[in-house]
Every structure is written in C-alpha cells, then in structure tokens.
C-alpha cells in the first residue's frame, strides 16, 4: 500500500513581516492533523523555533545560516527523515528565515529523492505593509523575489499604514498571486485549510549578492535582568540599519520571562511560557552588512544595565 504524498507549505517574507505569527496560527488551527514544523533562523539563536515550541512539540530547528543556501543540505536531510516517519505526517510547514529566497526551498522539495514522498502545497509570502516601501537596492530585490515565488501574498500590518499607502504598495507588488490584506497575519481559517497545490518550478531566482554580503548577525547575552523603562527608551532609538532584533529576557522586578520582537520602529513584548534560560537576557541581531553596529549597541546595553 502506497503512502500518500505529504503536502509541504512554505512560509516566506522579509525580516519582521509576521511569519512566526502566521505559523503560530496555522499550528493552533491544525486540530488533530499530524503536522511537523521546520523553522529556520539566520542567527545562532533560533528564537522563532522556541516560540512555536510553546504550542507544538513537532518543531525542527535549522539555525545559524540561511535555509536556501548554507543549510540547504540540512533541510534536505530533515525532509528525508520526516518523510519516513510512521504513522505518516499529514503536512509539513517550513518557515524560511527572513533573508531566504523561497525558490531555493521549492527546488529542494522537487529533488528526486523527495519527489515520491512530498509535494509542494503552496508558498505563502508575507509583506510588512509598514516597511516594504523603505527597502532599497538588494534588500528590495530580495523582497520582490519572495513575492514572485508566492501562491498567496499576505500584505500584513495593514493597520499601520494609510489607505493611500496601502494602495501604492499593492500596485507596486506586481505579483499574479492573490493578495490578502491582514492584521496580525489573520488569514481566514477556510483558506488555511485548503491552500492551492501546484507543481514545483525548478528555476532559480538568483540574487546579485550572496546573503552574507547583505546581512550580518550576532547574539548578545547577559546574566542580569534588564531595566524595563531604560530598555524601552533604548529600543525607541535603534537605528534603521538594524533590520531585526528578537530575544528572550527577564526584566528587573519581574520573574516572568518575555519574548522581545523588534522591527522598524516597533517593539513588542509578550509573555514566554516555561523556558529554560541559560542567561537572564539573550538577543539576536540582524543588521545591514557594514553597519558596524555591534560594538555600539552592546556598549549601550552595558550602559543601560549600569544605569
């Protein structure tokens, strides 16, 4: 008796577009479906995987590299392993890092050793309506490649822009895929239940520059909790060259650990569940290559703790 081919859904989008929020919703709406999730973070800390692990234990982490290039072989090995699980999975969802071109992941799913066991269900690309127009050069090109690969586009965070700005962004996307306007990545459940299956396109949409020439990432940790007021003031002053910041931390006077998410000029704190914390604060930064922010920001954090 042949085992049915497992559908694979790919979630893509630039840094901070809302991919983890959407993935969380998909997991929560999966019901009793046998679902496995592969999460890729560009930095050494896979914060996204830890967040998703609070709602499902079927999380597989690929970290410290981009899933479409430096850890592509790890992805192939992980998919091969998941395809052999019994009882068989009913769906696999892959969350790409924000620096990934999803076409490379699509190509991996089409490899001969996976073709009989897996099939591409859909590529869902999220676009941050509040930050899309600010992307320039190779960063804009990467974002356009992510949109061009999509079967659906979620124009997310639409509550943060005016109707006129929203219309300009929609016009500038230039994609043939359906575009859904969302807030907090709220896609109708009926759509999540039946994404459009399609055949794998093995063409590459290569970038002019490799990702390690566009982005730099580093981690920071401390054994001291952070002062909440000073931390918020510091977050409000972060420069535009810092594209993404996320972390797990404790605040002074509060034993509750928090997830920190920062993109653009916006920061969000949300309570974390039972997390094993090696440090009172740990963060991962992703910045434009050549921004030389690491020493500056880490010095500011040290000053913040001493204030």
């Amino acid at each position: 008796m042949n085992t049915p081919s497992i559908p694979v859904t790919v979630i893509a989008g630039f840094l901070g577009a809302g991919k983890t929020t959407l993935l969380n919703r998909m997991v929560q709406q999966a019901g009793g479906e046998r679902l496995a999730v592969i999460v890729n973070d560009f930095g050494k800390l896979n914060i996204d995987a830890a967040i998703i692990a609070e709602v499902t234990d079927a999380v597989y982490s690929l970290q410290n590299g981009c899933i479409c290039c430096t850890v592509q072989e790890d992805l192939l090995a992980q998919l091969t392993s998941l395809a052999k699980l019994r009882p068989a999975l009913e769906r696999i969802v892959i969350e790409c890092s924000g620096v990934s071109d999803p076409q490379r992941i699509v190509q991996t799913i089409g490899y001969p050793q996976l073709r009989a066991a897996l099939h591409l269900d859909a590529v869902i690309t999220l676009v941050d309506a509040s930050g899309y127009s600010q992307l320039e050069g190779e960063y804009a090109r990467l974002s356009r490649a992510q949109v061009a690969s999509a079967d659906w586009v979620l124009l997310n965070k639409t509550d943060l822009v005016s109707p006129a700005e929203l219309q300009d962004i929609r016009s500038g996307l230039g994609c043939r895929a359906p575009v859904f306007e969302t807030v907090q990545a709220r896609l109708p459940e009926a759509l999540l239940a039946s994404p459009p299956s399609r055949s794998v396109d093995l063409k590459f949409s290569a970038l002019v520059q490799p990702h390690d020439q566009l982005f730099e990432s580093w981690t920071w940790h401390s054994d001291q909790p952070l002062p909440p007021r000073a931390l918020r003031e510091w977050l409000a002053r972060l420069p535009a060259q810092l594209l993404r910041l996320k972390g797990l931390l404790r605040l002074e006077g509060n034993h509750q650990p928090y997830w920190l998410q920062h993109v653009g000029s916006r920061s969000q704190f949300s309570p974390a569940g039972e997390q094993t914390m090696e440090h009172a604060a740990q963060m991962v930064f992703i910045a434009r290559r050549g921004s030389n922010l690491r020493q500056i920001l880490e010095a500011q954090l040290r000053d913040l703790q001493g204030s």
Side-chain angles (χ1 to χ4, degrees), residues 17-25 126 154-160 181-187 266 268:
K19 297 182 294 298
T20 303
T21 301
L22 174 64
L23 181 54
N24 229 327
R25 295 192 187 283
L126 289 93
L154 268 61
L155 187 51
N156 196 31
K157 307 184 185 181
T158 56
D159 56 324
L160 302 178
E181 296 179 8
T182 61
V183 175
Q184 290 291 320
R186 294 184 184 277
L187 192 63
R266 303 179 308 281
Q268 180 180 12

Side-chain angles (χ1 to χ4, degrees), residues 21 56 61 69 82 91 163 215 251:
T21 301
T56 178
S61 173
C69 44
L82 291 176
R91 180 176 300 278
F215 305 94
L251 302 174

Side-chain angles (χ1 to χ4, degrees), residues 228-238 304:
R229 181 174 179 178
L231 176 61
R232 288 188 179 276
E233 292 174 350
W234 175 76
L235 290 168
R237 299 192 304 268
L238 288 174
L304 180 151

Side-chain angles (χ1 to χ4, degrees), residues 24-98:
N24 229 327
R25 295 192 187 283
M26 294 179 71
V27 170
Q28 291 171 347
Q29 294 176 9
E33 185 179 37
R34 282 182 54 77
L35 175 76
V37 176
I38 298 175
V39 179
N40 173 226
D41 253 350
F42 186 57
K44 292 183 179 180
L45 295 176
N46 204 332
I47 297 294
D48 291 354
I51 293 173
I52 299 300
E54 291 189 342
V55 292
T56 178
D57 57 2
V59 179
Y60 302 87
S61 173
L62 300 176
Q63 66 188 58
N64 200 22
C66 173
I67 198 172
C68 72
C69 44
T70 57
V71 296
Q72 191 176 20
E73 290 186 4
D74 295 341
L75 173 63
L76 179 59
Q78 188 66 76
L79 289 173
T80 301
S81 176
L82 291 176
K84 296 177 181 177
L85 289 179
R86 296 294 181 270
L89 294 170
E90 295 175 81
R91 180 176 300 278
I92 298 171
V93 183
I94 302 172
E95 181 198 350
C96 307
S97 75

Side-chain angles (χ1 to χ4, degrees), residues 210-277:
H211 297 151
D212 60 0
Q213 295 180 23
L214 294 176
F215 305 94
E216 55 188 32
S217 176
W218 70 93
T219 59
W220 177 86
H221 57 79
S222 172
D223 293 326
Q224 298 181 46
L226 295 168
R229 181 174 179 178
L231 176 61
R232 288 188 179 276
E233 292 174 350
W234 175 76
L235 290 168
R237 299 192 304 268
L238 288 174
Q241 292 95 330
L242 181 69
L243 299 170
R244 193 77 166 92
L245 165 61
K246 45 192 170 182
L248 176 64
L249 49 86
R250 297 186 189 277
L251 302 174
E252 288 182 356
N254 190 336
H255 294 293
Q256 167 72 55
Y258 287 91
W259 299 114
L260 167 63
Q261 303 277 359
H262 177 88
V263 61
S265 59
R266 303 179 308 281
S267 299
Q268 180 180 12
F269 293 85
S270 57
E274 295 295 327
Q275 295 291 327
T276 301
M277 298 181 64

Side-chain angles (χ1 to χ4, degrees), residues 202-216:
L202 297 183
K203 295 184 295 183
F204 286 94
S205 52
L207 295 173
V208 172
Q209 296 181 12
H211 297 151
D212 60 0
Q213 295 180 23
L214 294 176
F215 305 94
E216 55 188 32

